Amino acid sequence: MKLWTKFSLFSSGLVALVIVGTTFSMLYLEKRHLLSEMTKGMHETAKSLQKVSAESFLTNNRVSLISYMKEVRNARGVAFAQVVEKSGKIHAHTDSDRIGRTVDDPFVRQALDAGTPLSREDSAAPGGTVIELAYPVNTGGPEQAAAVIGFSRDALETSVRRTVQETKKRLLHVALIALVFGVLGAVLLAAVMTGPIRRMVAAAEKIGQGKLDTRVEVSSTDELGHLAQSLNAMAVKLHELDQLKQDFVSSVTHEFRSPLSAMKAHFDLFFRGRLGTLTEEQKESLTVLSNNAARLGRFIDDLLDIAKIERGKMDIKPEVFDPGPVLKDIHRLFQPRAEQKGIDLRLELPEKMPPLFADPGRTGQIVTNLVSNALKFTEKGNIALKVEADEKCLHILVSDTGMGIPEDQLDRIFNKFEQVKDARNRTTEQKGTGLGLAIARALAERQGGALRAQSVLGQGSTFILTVPVHAAHPGAPA
C-alpha cells in the first residue's frame, strides 16, 4: 500500500473517529442537560404552585388558585396538581370534581411533618409511573397544607426523546458535512505531505539507475526540504565520483590501446614469418597470447563505448536502410559456430520489411551481441533470429532454448558489469565482461528504440530489439 493511501486512510479514519466521538459526546451531554433542565423545571413548577397556594390562603382567595390550576394542568408533563390540607381535604385540584374530597395520603402527611419538600415515584398510578413533588404551604394560620404536583414519567421521557432526536438529526447533518470536508482535507494533506516524498523516491530511483544529474526541486525548509537537499548533495557527490571514475577508465583504456596495437602488430609479424620461422609449439603459444590480446582489446572497446555513452558522445549516424542484409550477414557470421556446437541457428524474415531509420552499424552491433550471447548460453536446441513488424516499429527477436534467466534478474542483466551468476558458472565458453547488454540497451535507446528480455528459467530466453521504422520516426527524412 502506498504512503499516500496509508496517510489518507489514517487521517480520514482519525477525522471520522473525532467526529463520531464528538457527536455521541454531544448527544450524551445534551440528554443529561435536558434531564437536568427537566428536573429543575419540575421543581420550579412545584415552587410556583406552593407560592400561589400560600398567597391564596393568606388572602383567602381560592379563585386565583383554581385559575392557576388550569395553567398548571397545561404545563409539560403534568399529570395532576393539588393542594391538600392537613386534615386530608383537597383544597384545590386540576380536576375540579376532586375539590372538597378527603384523601389519606401518607406522602402528604410526611411532607407536612417534615416541613421540607419531598419527592417520590408512584409506579402504581393510573397511566404509568408518576413523579410526585410535595412542598409545604404556609397558610398563615395553624392549619397546614401541602402543594402536591405529579409529573408523568412517560410524557417527560417522550419529550426528552423527541428533543434528543431533533438534536441528533441536526448533529448528523453537521457531522456528515464535517466528515466530507475532513476527508477532503485529509486527502489534500496527504497529497501535500507525500508529494515531496514521491518526488524524492522517483529521483532516488533515477539516481540508482545511473542518472546522476537528477535533482529534486526544494521549495520548503522543513524536514522534508532538508532531506531533499541532502539527496541533491548526495547526487552531486556521486556525479563527481562517477566523473572521476569515467576519466580514470578513459585514461587507462587509452593507455592500453597503444601497447595492445603494438602487440597485435608483432603477433602479425610472427605469424607471417617476418621475424623468423616458428615451431608448432611456438605458434600455439603465440595464438593463445594473440587471442587473449584480442579479448583484452574487446574489453577496452566496451569500456570506451560505455564511457562515450555516459558522456553522451557516442556517435549515432542514423540513415534509412533495409535491415534484411544486415541480419543475413549476422546469420552467416555465426552459422559456423552454431554448427560446431550442434545448434540450429534459424533466420526468419518476412517477405517485406519496412525500412528503418537508424544507425546500421550500431543496430548490427546490438543484434550481434544478442546472437553471441544466445550461442554462449545455449548448449543444445535452436536459436531463432526473426523479425516482426507493425505500423510504427520493427521488432527483432533473438530466441534461444538455453538455460534461461531468473525473473528477478531480467532487468538487472542490463546493468553494467551485471551477469547471471549461475549461467556464468555453467557456460563452458569464454566469460564476458558484463558490459555487452548495457551497451546494447543504451544504443537501442539512443536510436529511439528499446531492448527488453523475456525468459523462463530452464526453457530459454527471448531478447526483443524494437527499432522505429522509417515512416514512423519523427526525425527521419521524407
Side-chain angles (χ1 to χ4, degrees), residues 45 71-81 94 149-152 155-156:
T45 304
E71 295 180 14
V72 172
R73 182 175 56 193
N74 296 325
R76 183 179 64 176
V78 173
F80 70 90
T94 50
I149 186 167
F151 296 90
S152 171
L156 293 174

Side-chain angles (χ1 to χ4, degrees), residues 29-39 76 159-161 163-164 167:
L29 293 174
E30 176 70 8
K31 188 173 182 180
R32 288 194 60 182
H33 175 71
L34 288 172
L35 291 174
S36 176
E37 289 295 315
M38 180 186 71
T39 303
R76 183 179 64 176
S159 177
V160 171
R161 189 161 50 247
T163 304
V164 170
T167 304

Side-chain angles (χ1 to χ4, degrees), residues 331-391:
H331 179 260
R332 283 192 293 268
L333 174 66
F334 288 101
Q335 186 64 42
R337 181 178 164 190
E339 291 176 353
Q340 184 180 7
K341 294 189 66 174
I343 295 174
D344 180 18
L345 177 60
R346 299 194 300 266
L347 177 64
E348 303 174 10
L349 301 179
E351 293 183 2
K352 293 184 178 180
M353 283 187 294
L356 300 181
F357 182 68
D359 188 322
R362 297 302 185 186
T363 303
Q365 179 181 349
I366 298 170
V367 179
T368 298
N369 177 272
L370 299 179
V371 177
S372 176
N373 284 345
L375 282 169
K376 183 184 298 183
F377 298 108
T378 302
E379 297 299 327
K380 59 181 179 179
N382 59 77
I383 296 173
L385 174 58
K386 57 184 179 180
V387 173
E388 297 176 358
D390 55 37
E391 295 180 356

